[in-house]
Amino acid sequence: MKFFVDTADTKDIADLAESGMIDGVTTNPSLIAKAGRPFADVIQEICEIVPGPVSAEVVATDYEGMITEGRKLAKIADNVAVKLPLTWDGLKACRTLSGDGTQVNVTLCFSANQALLAAKAGATFISPFIGRLDDINVDGMELIADIRQIYDNYLFDTEILAASIRSANHVKLSALAGADVATMPPGVIKSLANHPLTDKGLEIFLADAQKAGIKV
Ligand code: E4P
């Protein structure tokens, strides 16, 4: 399973990239606004830190505008994946930009039929938003499993990018449901290594080593 980090904070990205666990980055207009820096500068910097796909989202909502913005974003670096919303104009733009050879991440997916359309439009990634479904009492994991089944039935190579992940449990369940990628905030990635029994066990081992005077 690939891990993407869901942030536009270049310091956090650089810290995590050192772990060798990061395969890509996702941003959205809310995360870019939070970074408080010019859009193109942030994306360019992230693309230099992480060689994998870096999602940069258009803000236009019509086909022509999405194509203009998408082509501009794609010029920033070879590893930019243009992020488009799952609307009819977004799907049409996905077909055109994919035809240009640009990676496309179709975002704001909340149903299996939407994911089917994105795959037919040639998307590189489909982003089902698990956390936002959970927020309205809908099982986001069922959506991931449904998309997995549909893509496998028809051998679509669009990658399922589990998004809007809020907890370590979301990551485990997405992996079990067959998501190809999970994008998560830095805190969730770091929390994956945590277990109280690991901490307790290490404490005991170190105390015993000190008592016995063990040196390596
Ligand atoms: C990913 O591409 C999305 O930008 C992100 O996961 C949305 O997460 P949120 O629902 O926690 O804002």
Side-chain angles (χ1 to χ4, degrees), residues 140-159:
M141 290 310 152
E142 207 177 298
L143 175 58
I144 302 278
D146 285 351
I147 301 172
R148 178 75 283 148
Q149 170 88 62
I150 290 168
Y151 282 9
D152 289 352
N153 285 350
Y154 297 100
L155 305 178
F156 284 121
D157 55 14
T158 300
E159 294 187 44

Side-chain angles (χ1 to χ4, degrees), residues 39-40 43 47 54-58 66-83 97-98 100-104:
F39 189 10
I43 296 298
C47 287
V54 174
S55 290
E57 188 163 342
V58 300
M66 286 188 206
I67 295 300
T68 306
E69 289 184 8
R71 287 186 173 145
K72 201 168 160 188
L73 291 170
K75 276 198 193 122
I76 296 176
D78 287 346
N79 53 330
V80 165
V82 174
K83 212 174 179 191
L97 292 172
S98 299
D100 287 354
T102 297
Q103 298 189 77
V104 176

Side-chain angles (χ1 to χ4, degrees), residues 6 26-31 55 57 83 105 107-108 127-132 135 161-166 183-185:
D6 193 30
T26 49
T27 68
N28 62 37
S30 309
L31 294 169
S55 290
E57 188 163 342
K83 212 174 179 191
N105 175 0
T107 190
L108 291 168
S127 289
F129 274 38
I130 296 164
R132 293 191 195 187
D135 290 346
L161 197 172
S164 188
I165 282 181
R166 309 264 171 82
T183 189
M184 332 160 218

